[in-house]
Amino acid sequence: MDTVPSNTESQPAADEAVAGNNDSTPIAAEVPMIAVTIDGIDVEVPYGTTILDAARRVGLRIPTLCHHDDLCTAGVCRICVVAVEGMRTLQAACATPVTLPVKIQTNTPAVRTARRHVVDLMLSNHYGDCTVCKRNNNCELQSLAKEYGVDYYRFGHPTEPKYAIDRSSSSVVRDMNKCVLCRRCVRTCSELQGVGALLVKGRSVRSRIATFGDKPLSSVVCVNCGQCINRCPTGALTEQDQTDEVWAMLDDPTKHVVIQTAPSPRAAIGECFGLEAGSQVTYQLNTALKRMGFDGVFDTNHTADLTILEEGTELIIRLYHALVQGDTDVALPQFTSCSPGWVKYLEHFYPHAVPNLSSAKSPMQMFGALLKTYYADKKGIDPKDIVVVALMPCTAKKFECNRPELCSSGFKDVDYALTTRELAKMVAESGIDLPHLPDSPFDEPFGDGTGSGNIFGATGGVMEAALRTVIEVVTGQKVENFFDHADILPVRGIEGARMAEIKIDEVGPVPDLFKPLVPDWDWLRGVTLRVGIVHGSANAKKVMEDIKAGGPFSKCHFIEFMACPGGCLGGGGQPIPTDATIRAKRSKAIYQIDSDFKIRKSHENPVVLQLYREFLTDGPCGHIAHHHLHTHYTPRGKFMS
């Protein structure tokens, strides 16, 4: 079995150069180094480096507000001003490139006064009370006010709100009274995510962040990803808080309240309690949840494994119809449907491609359906009395669990989706010191899942989990025979869009679980399985356009899409702040957990196999499975009433 990784990015010209350059060989230009002096410290930086990055190189911190490492430069807030020798006015460090040798000062009386006045002016338009703000003690404006000694409102302060709070969205709350016009949300939505639900209206003092036609957020093309929340420096954007509703359920003795926890929040929630990003607190969190009153604490990894079997079976069925029966109407490539932000993005921007989506529900929704059917029957509990809570890294999960089609048991599959930040708040309210709790296992019958279920949290994880199963099921051999320790490295990485090819040289017998679907695997012998991995909806747009144009991704059989940068571990409900370094630490933790698991393949999960024996008795993609574990989607288009 051969693997050929690739991606849509062309290699740098220097990589293509060969020994003995001739006139036709492109040569990479060498970037000159520029000598600068910052606060008396000499340093050389590449031509074009911003003053902000140059200062970071020598360990100097320049405060920022509009700047975010995930986003393009804006230079609108001016909190990062510095004094540059030879320039009449102070310069924005985030937007000023170093092009000549120069002396820079970051801490003069004029610089400190200017920064304080910038903060004063922001506060003069900022309505709200820090003590009742969700971002209290985690607000960049509040921190800057403290840092620059702002102890009264020098330029006044609004005493009445100017804007009504928009609570129309099931995922995101907008309070523009707290907006500082940093435009991070606009850049996030337009550039990082490629959606464009938010924009700047007006000029100068009349500037404001708005939606198309000033419509409520629920009435514009928003995919609910919550990435704007993760980059907002204040409390202008927050998630729809459902903690009071969950507390009410926990306090109701007539309700059986259970919670499923996904791997990404478990690798991040420790950040809310002062731990390093990527600190694993899975089993301490179980203890906390049980002390808080949950009647069952379960691992979402089980239905991640179930998703692999259902989604993988669906792919096999599509490939069989296309390759063996010659059906040209089969929707290929098949797209994953685990990410609700991605699903809604496709419904809005590429409704013609909705048939390409796997009909499999997300792991969260599959678990909800099982808890109100299989689990309810095992426990002898009326499903109307079961309340399913899901701990998720994603604000779009709030929208997903309110989709009217997701109620196969006759009740909502999932009642409440809590973000990592919301659950952290509930743990703190309970007076629980999470990092120092003893471990507790997950509850039966849904104890520990598998390593494959755990890596769903990272970009490429769904694809790797699927390939571990497909390779073993089709070839009849251990995946370790092809990839050391079952780590399928060609699908891992941080590129926004990438591809890999898996050539199937030999096939084995059809396992019993799949015998109702295909007579043999002979039709796959010699086939090269082409897969794609995409994260961030702006990258999804590039791939969808590539598919429309008949590009490389159109030749794929299966593509994993995730709406958020880095995948679920970078979800809009994760702790703030976020950046590439933090996401990398969370990813490392997720893969380490996978590596430590005894069972690392979805098709070997004993709980999943038991489900097929006892409940989903006609197998993957059978009638029972389709009723409970599959759904349909809605082509929405870009124009909403």
Side-chain angles (χ1 to χ4, degrees):
M1 179 174 298
D2 300 322
T3 63
V4 184
S6 62
N7 61 55
T8 56
E9 300 291 328
S10 60
Q11 293 298 312
D15 291 347
E16 298 172 354
V18 294
N21 286 324
N22 54 44
D23 292 342
S24 63
T25 304
I27 301 173
E30 184 176 346
V31 178
M33 300 297 287
I34 308 296
V36 296
T37 302
I38 309 176
D39 291 350
I41 304 172
D42 295 327
V43 63
E44 284 193 342
V45 298
Y47 178 94
T49 301
T50 63
I51 293 174
L52 179 64
D53 286 335
R56 287 174 173 175
R57 284 176 178 240
V58 295
L60 291 173
R61 174 186 168 274
I62 296 175
T64 61
L65 194 66
C66 70
H67 177 81
H68 193 287
D69 288 341
D70 286 340
L71 307 175
C72 70
T73 298
V76 296
C77 77
R78 319 309 281 186
I79 195 70
C80 67
V81 291
V82 294
V84 180
E85 185 178 68
M87 293 191 176
R88 183 174 59 86
T89 60
L90 300 178
Q91 301 297 307
C94 71
T96 304
V98 174
T99 57
L100 294 170
V102 70
K103 291 184 178 180
I104 300 161
Q105 291 182 294
T106 71
N107 188 30
T108 68
V111 166
R112 292 194 301 272
T113 300
R115 291 176 183 171
R116 174 184 281 187
H117 284 174
V118 167
V119 176
D120 285 333
L121 288 167
M122 287 181 180
L123 289 172
S124 71
N125 287 313
H126 189 81
Y127 170 79
D129 182 349
C130 290
T131 57
V132 293
C133 179
K134 287 184 183 177
R135 292 293 298 272
N136 188 24
N137 292 321
N138 188 17
C139 169
E140 293 177 47
L141 179 62
Q142 185 185 53
S143 297
L144 286 168
K146 179 181 179 182
E147 183 177 350
Y148 285 94
V150 177
D151 49 8
Y152 68 98
Y153 297 113
R154 288 173 176 80
F155 303 123
H157 182 61
T159 57
E160 296 292 334
K162 185 176 179 181
Y163 304 104
I165 299 175
D166 179 3
R167 303 183 187 275
S168 63
S169 166
S170 57
S171 302
V172 181
V173 176
R174 294 176 66 239
D175 183 357
M176 292 299 97
N177 299 292
K178 297 176 182 176
C179 177
V180 293
L181 291 172
C182 68
R183 292 161 171 77
R184 280 194 198 172
C185 59
V186 175
R187 286 177 284 150
T188 296
C189 195
S190 296
E191 297 162 16
L192 191 68
Q193 293 299 87
V195 176
L198 300 172
L199 51 95
V200 181
K201 283 192 174 181
R203 295 174 65 85
S204 186
V205 294
R206 289 182 291 277
S207 294
R208 58 190 176 88
I209 308 300
T211 59
F212 174 77
D214 286 322
K215 292 179 178 292
L217 200 55
S218 62
S219 299
V220 299
V221 180
C222 170
V223 301
N224 299 293
C225 67
Q227 290 300 313
C228 55
I229 301 174
N230 278 21
R231 286 160 189 81
C232 178
T234 68
L237 292 163
T238 55
E239 67 264 55
Q240 280 281 11
D241 193 327
Q242 295 181 294
T243 56
D244 284 345
E245 296 167 65
V246 174
W247 277 127
M249 294 296 102
L250 288 170
D251 292 337
D252 186 341
T254 68
K255 298 299 182 184
H256 184 81
V257 187
V258 297
I259 187 168
Q260 51 166 305
T261 70
S264 292
R266 304 193 300 244
I269 195 169
E271 296 164 39
C272 299
F273 296 89
L275 297 180
E276 176 76 10
S279 299
Q280 280 288 348
V281 292
T282 299
Y283 299 105
Q284 295 102 308
L285 183 60
N286 289 350
T287 303
L289 293 168
K290 291 172 184 180
R291 290 185 183 182
M292 290 163 63
F294 285 96
D295 298 299
V297 180
F298 304 127
D299 188 353
T300 308
N301 290 355
H302 288 295
T303 40
D305 291 330
L306 192 59
T307 297
I308 290 300
L309 290 176
E310 291 296 322
E311 211 167 55
T313 299
E314 184 182 0
L315 177 63
I316 289 169
I317 292 170
R318 293 194 193 199
L319 291 175
Y320 187 77
H321 284 300
L323 301 179
V324 179
Q325 299 180 346
D327 187 347
T328 57
D329 293 328
V330 175
L332 288 172
Q334 178 175 302
F335 301 155
T336 56
S337 53
C338 299
S339 167
W342 148 248
V343 170
K344 194 163 187 280
Y345 179 88
L346 191 77
E347 290 176 330
H348 282 305
F349 289 90
Y350 298 94
H352 69 277
V354 164
N356 292 72
L357 278 171
S358 166
S359 65
K361 294 178 181 178
S362 71
M364 178 184 86
Q365 296 297 147
M366 284 190 184
F367 217 139
L370 291 175
L371 288 167
K372 294 191 177 182
T373 52
Y374 174 77
Y375 174 80
D377 184 61
K378 267 190 168 300
K379 292 291 185 179
I381 304 171
D382 191 326
K384 73 176 176 60
D385 295 323
I386 295 178
V387 177
V388 177
V389 181
L391 170 62
M392 291 290 143
C394 176
T395 54
K397 289 293 184 185
K398 294 176 179 290
F399 172 84
E400 182 185 26
C401 69
N402 285 312
R403 280 179 176 260
E405 61 268 26
L406 297 178
C407 54
S408 56
S409 66
F411 305 92
K412 284 177 64 175
D413 289 343
V414 176
D415 297 285
Y416 303 101
L418 294 178
T419 63
T420 311
R421 295 187 296 266
E422 285 175 282
L423 188 67
K425 187 182 81 166
M426 292 182 72
V427 172
E429 282 183 58
S430 304
I432 292 173
D433 183 10
L434 180 66
H436 297 101
L437 289 180
D439 291 353
S440 291
F442 287 104
D443 291 321
E444 297 299 333
F446 300 110
D448 284 323
T450 70
S452 280
N454 204 73
I455 61 176
F456 263 56
T459 173
V462 176
M463 187 59 67
E464 182 168 355
L467 290 176
R468 287 177 184 174
T469 289
V470 167
I471 288 169
E472 292 205 352
V473 165
V474 172
T475 68
Q477 299 184 53
K478 290 292 185 183
V479 69
E480 288 87 350
N481 294 347
F482 308 104
F483 298 97
D484 186 43
H485 200 57
D487 294 339
I488 306 180
L489 301 182
V491 300
R492 298 187 187 182
I494 60 171
E495 302 92 345
R498 53 201 187 276
M499 295 173 59
E501 295 181 351
I502 308 288
K503 187 178 180 183
I504 302 172
D505 294 317
E506 296 296 331
V507 296
V510 178
D512 291 341
L513 198 61
F514 298 94
K515 282 182 177 177
L517 302 173
V518 291
D520 55 55
W521 298 125
D522 291 343
W523 53 280
L524 283 174
R525 183 181 283 111
V527 168
T528 297
L529 183 64
R530 298 181 182 88
V531 299
I533 303 96
V534 190
H535 63 111
S537 52
N539 292 315
K541 179 179 181 179
K542 295 175 185 176
V543 170
M544 291 304 299
E545 292 298 320
D546 177 84
I547 292 172
K548 282 175 64 177
F553 280 94
S554 68
K555 307 300 190 293
C556 285
H557 301 104
F558 192 32
I559 304 179
E560 174 200 311
F561 285 94
M562 292 291 168
C564 296
C568 296
L569 55 84
Q574 293 281 69
I576 299 170
T578 184
D579 58 29
T581 301
I582 291 172
R583 294 191 293 271
K585 289 179 179 179
R586 295 171 185 166
S587 178
K588 182 179 179 181
I590 283 173
Y591 281 112
Q592 184 59 53
I593 290 292
D594 162 51
S595 181
D596 293 341
F597 259 95
K598 273 188 173 182
I599 302 175
R600 302 183 62 229
K601 301 157 192 173
S602 298
H603 59 286
E604 294 179 351
N605 184 327
V607 173
V608 169
L609 296 176
Q610 183 177 352
L611 280 168
Y612 282 115
R613 287 194 302 269
E614 295 182 358
F615 183 58
L616 309 168
T617 51
D618 48 1
C621 287
H623 176 75
I624 301 171
H626 254 286
H627 177 70
H628 292 292
L629 308 181
H630 292 252
T631 186
H632 63 275
Y633 303 102
T634 305
R636 300 175 191 271
K638 296 180 186 177
F639 299 97
M640 302 178 68
S641 59

